[in-house]
Amino acid sequence: MFQGEKAWFSQSVSRDLCEFWVTEGGVITNAPAAEYLFSNNASYPDTQRLYQSLDYVSDKATVFHSSYISATAKSKVRNAVALGHFILPPACLHK
């Protein structure tokens, strides 16, 4: 499902989801090398560092909620789940 795709995971993401990513062919890597950045919590320190990074500030990086992976697993068809619905904005934008 995620064959060869590279993702960074915040420490706020459950290990089960990280393991599912790998089981489905994905690779876990550091943030600069990742195609996807996943977090469960915009306030988590490692995620806040991403929001302060030059890549994020210059619109070269987007953080996604890790529930995208769960939703994809449930649908069993990756393209059936719209990634854009899972954008995780910085905590200061949450109500």
Side-chain angles (χ1 to χ4, degrees):
M1 187 173 293
F2 305 113
Q3 195 62 42
E5 295 188 325
K6 299 175 192 167
W8 170 88
F9 289 88
S10 165
Q11 292 185 10
S12 66
V13 177
S14 76
R15 293 301 104 197
D16 289 344
L17 279 181
C18 297
E19 290 172 12
F20 178 75
W21 179 268
V22 172
T23 299
E24 292 295 320
V27 176
I28 297 176
T29 188
N30 59 23
E35 299 165 292
Y36 300 95
L37 306 169
F38 291 111
S39 180
N40 269 355
N41 184 341
S43 297
Y44 213 80
D46 60 2
T47 306
Q48 287 182 338
R49 284 191 294 277
L50 287 178
Y51 292 133
Q52 295 167 357
S53 71
L54 182 59
D55 280 348
Y56 186 84
V57 172
S58 59
D59 290 330
K60 294 180 182 175
T62 303
V63 179
F64 299 98
H65 197 282
S66 62
S67 60
Y68 167 75
I69 299 167
S70 302
T72 301
K74 287 177 187 170
S75 76
K76 298 183 182 174
V77 180
R78 181 159 178 218
N79 294 336
V81 179
L83 183 60
H85 290 288
F86 295 89
I87 293 174
L88 182 65
C92 62
L93 299 178
H94 295 223
K95 289 184 179 182

